[in-house]
Amino acid sequence: MKNRLISKLVKFYEKLRNNGHLRRGKTAKFVLVVIAVITIALYFAMRSAPATNAYTTSWIGNTYGGGSKWVQNYVEGMYVGPDGTVYTNSTWDEAGREAGIYKDGDVLGPESDLHGWSRGGGKAITANSKYIYLAMVQGSMGKINEDYPPEKTSWYCVRRYNLSGKPAGFPGGRGYDKSMLIVSTKNPVTGLATVGNQLYVSIAKANRISVYNTETMGEVRNFSVSSPGQITIDKQENLWIIQGKNGSTPAQILHYSAEGKRLPKVIADVVDPSAIAIDNQGRLLVAENGPRQQVLIYNIAGKPKQVGTFGIERGIFAGVPGEVGDLKFYGISGVGTDAAGNIYVNSNGFHNAGTDLRKFLPSGKLQWRLLGLHFVDNADTDPQSDGVDVYTKHEYFDMDYKKAPGKQWNYKAYTLNPFKYPQDPRLHTSPTSVFFRRIQGKPFMYLIDMYESFMQIYRFNPTTDGKVAIPSAMFFGTVLKDGKVGSWPPNQPQEQKDWIWRDSNGNGAFDKDEYNIRDTDDYPYVGGWWVDSKGDVWKTLRTEEGIRHFPLQGLDAKGNPIYSYSSMKKDKTPSLFTDVRRIEYFPETDTMYLSGFTKEHPAVEDDSGVVGSEIVRYDNWSRGNRTPRWRTVIPHDTTGKREVLTAAMSVAGDYVFAVTVKTSEVHVYNAATGKQVQKLKPGPEVAGESGWIDIPYGIRAFRRSNGEYLVFVEEDWKGKVIVYRLPR
């Protein structure tokens, strides 16, 4: 088609040039010149421009795709108004929705100006008929004259907003807009509640509850309570206060008068009370975040008596463990009711897994659900499923690609069980990226963290654990702090040595005799990790002899993959690299892809988290070939301003994909030649937007059996994972 178009343009130009009438006029000459220029420009443009495939942008993990609507990161405080408006608070949301307002399954908007300028949210929120009161923190900014805290000081505040989410200042208010009430410079607010014209504020570490006038925000009184957390107020205007666990003293729920007098009623049979509310019948609802994972309902007219529950006992771990269900909760962080008795529950997962906000009729029928499941996370697919089964660090999704963008994902399971596996590394570390592999036909999930300091491995056993991922193995380089190893994991080597843990007894715990220790120190700075299709683990170190290969030694009796330092192979970094960063090896074709900084394109600064300046392909790697098939220069910093950086790469089928940090653009290279053939950007389906790529494995690509490519890209800003669908 291109050649036919060029041929027609050339013939048209020749016809004009030979036309006698046109040759005699200045206008004709001008027209001929213009046509000639256009023809030549089209020729060279079409000659140099790569053929591109149309693609679509989709996403997983958030109810909304972006723009003005998204569900915030992990809700930690929640209040439900009489009309069913849900007010929420988080300590952090990347796009600034630390505080959100939701109703009827929709996003009404965020409270304003809570993100940035050393501000953040908190773990408590309440409202009355006129204002929202929100726990927050304001850090110093070196702007004391603009009413910011002095250096090295933070204000722990209650900030007041009107019901539409705009800051509502008051006489004596602090901060740039005079809407902040400073309640402490040492400890955060842990509970908020209002009744009449009084606002109750608890600070657990100060062992104090202070009472303020809701209009003037002046303090009325205060009284002592040991470790007070969330507060709710009953129909008699008395307080029910969660008292957090303090040393050997278990958590319980205390009863106080409005004036601060301790009353005799107490609820002490809840393992982990995480949220409380009064329903429209005057009953006390208590979120039990222990093994029961239910909302417990108490009649408090006399001595508190449990009269019911809401939700399935054991929550998401009942029935098929990990499998999502309407009444299966997990990590409850909020409970509330409206005037009609509808019940609202938020599940946060464990270790800040994400937001799962639901509304139910009093009968227990689900009315709506809002999800915001991802933060610093990316996805991969089970290769056996042909792209249908997709996993992130905590979640499992079933995909239906026939549906519209953003509707293709179905949240099927939450794969972490803190009660059966309290030493699950995901509860103690912050992994960010998944490699999903099949070994001897069995599924395994490998997780890497933002700083590439470890690799965690999980196995699955549907018979014993349903959808839950079982801690199986881990690679780790011990990091000393003050000359000592950290407190987690238990039983780890006490010297500065790399180690591999394997769960040889199958209990998912780090037992003393389960560590394989490297007998010599290794270079401590990791460039990248990889797991190939055979289950071999590869690691690059940022040094001359920097490639480590751990061949899989099979599976043990419990189904764990076996790796050891005695079988580890070392290889030199190819001489063209000064600092190797990423590695992807494909045993089926004996093809190696490496990236890093090179002698011709060195790093301006350290840039430890990025891909480097070049991607290089080697064929016949296992046979010793170290002559590149091709080298391609990728976007990288040349000025020291770090405006242009490539964060991550992924090879799949005929393409190499690489994504930039700040623009979040996916550069697509031909895997046979290294030439760039296309660029992917967030489409209108996600409002054309994305946050920065923060993690070294922020892109993962997969070619389906029909030739279509799925490209998963981290998208922290609006709490999701972007999915590009690129035709073959």
Side-chain angles (χ1 to χ4, degrees):
M1 179 178 177
K2 178 177 72 175
N3 291 336
R4 288 199 302 269
L5 176 60
I6 296 298
S7 177
K8 288 181 180 179
L9 286 169
V10 170
K11 287 180 180 178
F12 180 61
Y13 169 74
E14 292 291 338
K15 184 178 179 181
L16 288 174
R17 188 185 65 179
N18 294 326
N19 186 293
H21 296 289
L22 289 175
R23 279 188 297 172
R24 288 190 288 270
K26 293 183 179 180
T27 302
K29 291 181 180 179
F30 175 75
V31 170
L32 287 173
V33 170
V34 170
I35 292 173
V37 169
I38 292 173
T39 302
I40 295 168
L42 281 171
Y43 173 75
F44 283 105
M46 295 183 69
R47 184 179 180 184
S48 60
T52 60
N53 292 327
Y55 65 92
T56 59
T57 309
S58 187
W59 74 91
I60 60 175
N62 203 294
T63 300
Y64 298 100
S68 64
K69 292 188 178 183
W70 72 97
V71 179
Q72 75 204 83
N73 298 147
Y74 40 86
V75 167
E76 297 169 276
M78 185 177 90
Y79 173 78
V80 180
D83 66 346
T85 301
V86 182
Y87 304 94
T88 59
N89 196 358
S90 303
T91 54
W92 181 263
D93 180 76
E94 191 81 0
R97 184 160 287 156
E98 278 86 349
I101 307 174
Y102 305 93
K103 189 178 182 183
D104 298 328
D106 199 3
V107 178
L108 298 188
E111 284 87 353
S112 301
D113 301 323
L114 191 59
H115 186 83
W117 296 277
S118 290
R119 286 191 288 278
K123 298 187 177 184
I125 190 169
T126 193
N128 59 20
S129 61
K130 190 174 181 180
Y131 296 115
I132 303 165
Y133 303 89
L134 180 112
M136 64 160 293
V137 60
Q138 173 68 69
S140 60
M141 286 285 292
K143 298 180 178 181
I144 298 175
N145 60 331
E146 297 178 29
D147 207 15
Y148 283 84
E151 288 298 319
K152 300 181 181 180
T153 301
S154 293
W155 293 340
Y156 296 97
C157 305
V158 174
R159 195 173 186 190
R160 194 172 74 172
Y161 297 85
N162 63 30
L163 295 182
S164 64
K166 301 298 182 183
F170 51 89
R174 300 297 302 273
Y176 71 96
D177 61 2
K178 309 307 177 188
S179 68
M180 302 177 195
L181 170 69
I182 303 171
V183 297
S184 176
T185 57
K186 295 181 179 179
N187 303 303
V189 172
T190 50
L192 291 168
T194 62
V195 63
N197 65 350
Q198 296 190 342
L199 170 68
Y200 292 82
V201 180
S202 64
I203 302 178
K205 291 186 177 180
N207 299 311
R208 185 182 80 239
I209 289 181
S210 296
V211 188
Y212 299 88
N213 183 284
T214 55
E215 288 292 333
T216 67
M217 300 300 284
E219 186 173 21
V220 177
R221 61 185 175 278
N222 64 72
F223 52 93
S224 297
V225 177
S226 179
S227 301
Q230 285 203 27
I231 308 168
T232 193
I233 300 175
D234 63 25
K235 293 184 180 296
Q236 288 72 43
E237 299 191 358
N238 292 320
L239 281 63
W240 294 86
I241 306 165
I242 293 178
Q243 182 184 55
K245 182 178 180 181
N246 190 358
S248 59
T249 303
Q252 53 187 349
I253 300 167
L254 306 178
H255 193 205
Y256 277 77
S257 73
E259 299 301 318
K261 179 182 177 181
R262 174 73 185 271
L263 301 176
K265 297 177 183 180
V266 63
I267 298 173
D269 60 350
V270 183
V271 174
D272 184 10
S274 57
I276 52 177
I278 299 293
D279 72 5
N280 65 333
Q281 301 177 45
R283 301 177 301 179
L284 180 67
L285 307 185
V286 180
E288 162 61 292
N289 202 32
R292 293 183 66 167
Q293 291 296 303
Q294 287 179 294
V295 176
L296 309 182
I297 305 172
Y298 288 85
N299 184 323
I300 54 175
K303 181 180 179 180
K305 179 182 179 181
Q306 186 184 327
V307 294
T309 61
F310 189 78
I312 297 172
E313 186 172 0
R314 296 183 57 240
I316 206 165
F317 309 113
V320 177
E323 188 174 74
V324 170
D326 289 353
L327 287 165
K328 297 174 74 174
F329 305 133
Y330 57 112
I332 307 174
S333 67
V335 64
T337 66
D338 59 25
N342 299 306
I343 300 171
Y344 302 75
V345 180
N346 186 75
S347 294
N348 236 10
F350 302 91
H351 201 48
N352 293 331
T355 293
D356 185 339
L357 176 60
R358 311 178 208 182
K359 175 188 176 180
F360 302 88
L361 293 177
S363 65
K365 183 179 179 181
L366 180 67
Q367 293 298 286
W368 52 257
R369 184 181 197 179
L370 295 174
L371 296 171
L373 300 174
H374 301 310
F375 181 62
V376 195
D377 204 354
N378 198 15
D380 197 8
T381 181
D382 179 352
Q384 186 171 290
S385 75
D386 197 31
V388 172
D389 295 336
V390 171
Y391 289 80
T392 55
K393 61 187 175 186
H394 294 128
E395 295 85 18
Y396 156 56
F397 302 94
D398 175 66
M399 305 293 288
D400 183 352
Y401 295 107
K402 294 178 182 178
K403 293 185 177 181
K407 305 294 183 183
Q408 297 156 353
W409 56 281
N410 183 21
Y411 181 26
K412 297 290 288 186
Y414 180 76
T415 66
L416 190 157
N417 186 340
F419 304 109
K420 186 172 183 179
Y421 301 112
Q423 292 181 26
D424 188 318
R426 291 175 291 180
L427 295 168
H428 305 273
T429 62
S430 299
T432 61
S433 308
V434 177
F435 297 100
F436 205 95
R437 298 292 183 263
R438 287 274 172 170
I439 301 174
Q440 297 179 14
K442 297 179 180 180
F444 290 88
M445 184 169 69
Y446 294 73
L447 298 180
I448 312 295
D449 70 318
M450 180 182 287
Y451 305 105
E452 304 172 290
S453 56
F454 57 71
M455 173 177 278
Q456 300 164 353
I457 306 171
Y458 293 83
R459 62 185 176 91
F460 294 84
N461 187 334
T463 302
T464 61
D465 289 83
K467 305 295 186 181
V468 170
I470 305 167
S472 179
M474 183 173 180
F475 289 78
F476 194 79
T478 300
V479 178
L480 297 180
K481 184 177 182 181
D482 299 326
K484 299 179 181 179
V485 300
S487 60
W488 188 90
N491 303 309
Q492 65 178 294
Q494 295 299 299
E495 63 271 22
Q496 178 76 29
K497 303 288 185 183
D498 290 0
W499 50 257
I500 303 171
W501 167 77
R502 177 163 51 90
D503 184 32
S504 57
N505 62 12
N507 67 354
F510 287 73
D511 296 318
K512 188 173 183 179
D513 59 350
E514 294 181 335
Y515 290 87
N516 179 257
I517 307 169
R518 183 177 172 86
D519 57 3
T520 58
D521 293 340
D522 208 346
Y523 193 76
Y525 301 111
V526 178
W529 294 86
W530 174 249
V531 186
D532 69 28
S533 58
K534 296 194 305 182
D536 290 7
V537 171
W538 299 76
K539 180 171 69 170
T540 61
L541 303 178
R542 298 169 59 191
T543 184
E544 291 182 2
E545 196 176 49
I547 296 178
R548 303 289 181 268
H549 177 200
F550 297 86
L552 177 70
Q553 303 298 295
L555 303 179
D556 67 15
K558 299 295 182 180
N560 303 299
I562 303 171
Y563 303 98
S564 68
Y565 285 106
S566 61
S567 61
M568 182 191 77
K569 300 177 181 179
K570 297 170 64 174
D571 203 347
K572 290 185 178 297
T573 302
S575 59
L576 65 89
F577 286 102
T578 57
D579 186 353
V580 67
R581 295 297 178 84
R582 302 288 189 272
I583 180 170
E584 295 197 15
Y585 176 71
F586 296 86
E588 299 86 354
T589 57
D590 196 18
T591 307
M592 174 67 80
Y593 296 86
L594 295 173
S595 78
F597 289 102
T598 61
K599 295 174 182 177
E600 294 86 350
H601 303 281
V604 177
E605 297 180 359
D606 181 55
D607 279 338
S608 60
V610 303
V611 166
S613 58
E614 290 193 53
I615 298 174
V616 183
R617 171 176 169 167
Y618 297 89
D619 295 337
N620 304 314
W621 177 267
S622 68
R623 285 179 273 176
N625 175 51
R626 297 299 181 265
T627 301
R629 175 168 175 172
W630 52 256
R631 298 169 59 175
T632 190
V633 177
I634 58 177
H636 64 283
D637 182 24
T638 59
T639 65
K641 296 180 180 180
R642 305 188 84 251
E643 291 298 320
V644 180
L645 300 164
T646 299
M649 61 175 273
S650 182
V651 182
D654 296 327
Y655 298 119
V656 179
F657 301 87
V659 63
T660 53
V661 174
K662 294 186 178 182
T663 59
S664 305
E665 295 174 334
V666 177
H667 296 254
V668 186
Y669 303 91
N670 186 307
T673 65
K675 302 295 184 182
Q676 183 169 335
V677 296
Q678 192 160 358
K679 186 185 292 186
L680 313 180
K681 300 179 181 181
E685 303 90 342
V686 293
E689 61 186 18
S690 173
W692 291 10
I693 308 302
D694 295 321
I695 57 180
Y697 303 92
I699 188 169
R700 184 80 74 246
F702 177 78
R703 182 171 64 179
R704 304 183 70 203
S705 60
N706 64 3
E708 177 188 36
Y709 289 84
L710 304 174
V711 185
F712 302 99
V713 179
E714 172 204 22
E715 207 293 272
D716 290 346
W717 195 37
K718 300 289 177 73
K720 60 184 178 293
V721 172
I722 283 179
V723 185
Y724 293 107
R725 297 182 63 191
L726 181 67
R728 59 185 302 168

